[in-house]
Amino acid sequence: MPIETLADVIKGTGDPELPLKEALRPANPALGVVAASLGLSLVGVYAIDVAVVADPGARSGLPIATTALKQLIFTMMGLFAAAVVALPHHRIIGRISWALMALVLCVLVFLLVPFVPEALVRPRNGARAWINLGVTDFQPSEVAKVAYVLVVAHYLRYRKEHRTFRGLLMPGLITFPAVALITLQPDLGTASLFVPSLFAMLVAAGARLRHLTVIVLVAALAAPAMYPMLKPHQKRRFVAMLRQIQGDRTTADDMNFQSFTAQTVVGAGGVAGNADRRARALLRYNRLPERHNDMIYAVIVTRTGLLGGLAVLGLYGLWIGSALITAAVCKDPFGRLIVVGLTAFIAIQAVVNVGMTIGLLPIVGVTLPFVSAGGSSMITCWVMTGLIYNVGLHRPRPPFRQSFEFADG
């Protein structure tokens, strides 16, 4: 290996890696992310089977439901995808981030083209969010999360303009196209995840908290003006949440049916849960909509009780904590921002999904990462895991270029 000059190291043009055996040592905190991802994925496969199969004694042929088997296959595909993205240095991935984002935006535009045949883009629940690939469906908005984090991290990595109000304009402009296109599908739930991820990366990059606080306050004050622009079904979700907060049970068989049913089956889990057959029967006769997808957390708590629900949250805690430790020990600003941005997506999505399941948040159609049924979501979550492991694996050598260490903190 050629000897690097000090200038090469500081500029990041030399070999940035430590010896592989050192990077792979058990102390690597990114291993906690991998372990939590695997645990959540396996929990999801079982929960999907419980949600789909009402009577396990009536199975014919396969030991698990077809939907659960597909989820298991997607999990293995996700593991492979994670291994692929973990191998090349994340700086190499950063060089193609803008091209990847441009490609994703083109696909998001393609979804909205009205004359595309329904055999290729068929609306579901009024949303044009999936492309039919024959054997499965592809949801581009999931890939947009990864591309977006890579682009913002690549833009911010050596800058300080974002520490001014004017400097925050460019990250906002980068965010706008993806959020706008996903909102037009319409998929307000997924679109709402991008801004928290941006704020997390800005905080990690040293943006001034007072600037971000002002932006949040202005956005909160302007939010009511956006209500007339929402679709009718989106307005119903907020009205339903308000009725639920007011304790109005008259909507339990109408707009709040899914929310109240989810809370009912969650409560039926008690502390320790129900036996397998009883849990399946409860889910069958309570007719919980989307129980294998958006409402999968209710299935888990019905089967395993409060303790099982807390255990799942503990796995998310392990995932998030291990990822943040990986970001903290990473001296490369690009790698650090990748980890923070991806962690924000997983954390916010998990909080929103659990919150809407137990009635604390309106139902906005957000899945539970690694657990809900869905190929695009599963593979994307594992790609996120692979990228975080990539950052933990490829550690830069000292001396390090200054990364967001500003004099005023």
Side-chain angles (χ1 to χ4, degrees), residues 227-244:
Y227 183 79
M229 302 175 63
L230 296 177
K231 300 287 185 180
H233 72 278
Q234 294 171 335
K235 293 180 180 179
R236 282 172 57 87
R237 289 173 178 173
F238 286 100
V239 172
M241 185 65 194
L242 180 60
R243 296 280 181 86
Q244 186 171 283

Side-chain angles (χ1 to χ4, degrees), residues 181-270:
L181 291 171
I182 294 172
T183 301
L184 289 173
Q185 291 180 355
D187 186 356
L188 189 60
T190 300
S192 66
L193 302 175
F194 284 74
V195 173
S197 178
L198 172 63
F199 272 52
M201 286 188 282
L202 287 172
V203 170
R208 299 179 190 273
L209 293 180
R210 61 178 179 271
H211 294 166
L212 299 178
T213 301
V214 170
I215 292 173
V216 171
L217 290 176
V218 171
L221 293 174
M226 301 296 293
Y227 183 79
M229 302 175 63
L230 296 177
K231 300 287 185 180
H233 72 278
Q234 294 171 335
K235 293 180 180 179
R236 282 172 57 87
R237 289 173 178 173
F238 286 100
V239 172
M241 185 65 194
L242 180 60
R243 296 280 181 86
Q244 186 171 283
I245 293 174
Q246 295 172 340
D248 184 353
R249 299 286 303 185
T250 61
T251 59
D253 293 325
D254 185 18
M255 64 177 67
N256 271 324
F257 176 76
Q258 186 176 23
S259 181
F260 279 125
T261 304
Q263 294 172 57
T264 298
V265 298
V266 165

Side-chain angles (χ1 to χ4, degrees), residues 81-210:
V84 170
V85 300
L87 293 177
H89 197 282
H90 50 270
R91 291 184 183 175
I92 298 174
I93 298 175
R95 294 169 192 162
I96 65 171
S97 59
W98 292 91
L100 177 61
M101 191 67 198
L103 177 61
V104 169
L105 291 177
C106 289
V107 177
L108 290 174
V109 170
F110 172 78
L111 285 171
L112 300 176
V113 176
F115 53 79
V116 174
E118 281 199 6
L120 194 58
V121 178
R122 178 175 298 174
R124 294 184 187 176
N125 298 323
R128 297 174 63 88
W130 294 268
I131 297 176
N132 182 11
L133 300 180
V135 294
T136 187
D137 292 328
F138 168 57
Q139 189 173 4
S141 60
E142 292 293 329
V143 181
K145 298 175 186 177
V146 176
Y148 169 75
V149 168
L150 292 174
V151 165
V152 174
H154 195 266
Y155 172 78
L156 291 174
R157 69 193 191 285
Y158 293 134
R159 296 178 183 272
K160 59 181 180 181
E161 293 89 346
H162 56 280
R163 291 173 54 76
T164 67
F165 263 122
R166 181 178 296 179
L168 292 173
L169 178 61
M170 187 61 186
L173 291 176
I174 294 173
T175 306
F176 177 76
V179 172
L181 291 171
I182 294 172
T183 301
L184 289 173
Q185 291 180 355
D187 186 356
L188 189 60
T190 300
S192 66
L193 302 175
F194 284 74
V195 173
S197 178
L198 172 63
F199 272 52
M201 286 188 282
L202 287 172
V203 170
R208 299 179 190 273
L209 293 180
R210 61 178 179 271

Side-chain angles (χ1 to χ4, degrees), residues 276-356:
D276 184 87
R277 285 181 177 272
R278 178 175 171 79
R280 294 172 190 267
L282 285 169
L283 292 166
R284 176 184 180 184
Y285 291 110
N286 279 282
R287 299 180 293 112
L288 175 63
E290 300 294 335
R291 56 182 178 268
H292 67 296
N293 200 332
D294 296 355
M295 293 290 128
I296 195 70
Y297 188 72
V299 175
I300 294 171
V301 178
T302 303
R303 173 65 181 89
T304 62
L306 174 64
L307 297 178
L310 292 176
V312 170
L313 296 181
L315 287 175
Y316 282 111
L318 174 62
W319 200 101
I320 295 167
S322 300
L324 292 180
I325 293 173
T326 303
V329 301
C330 178
K331 301 300 182 181
D332 174 39
F334 179 55
R336 182 182 298 178
L337 291 180
I338 289 174
V339 176
V340 170
L342 297 178
T343 302
F345 266 114
I346 294 294
I348 295 299
Q349 191 168 336
V351 168
V352 171
N353 180 274
V354 173
M356 71 183 195

Side-chain angles (χ1 to χ4, degrees), residues 17-34:
E17 297 183 62
L18 290 173
L20 184 60
K21 63 180 180 180
E22 185 176 349
L24 286 171
R25 64 184 184 272
N28 187 344
L31 291 172
V33 179
V34 177

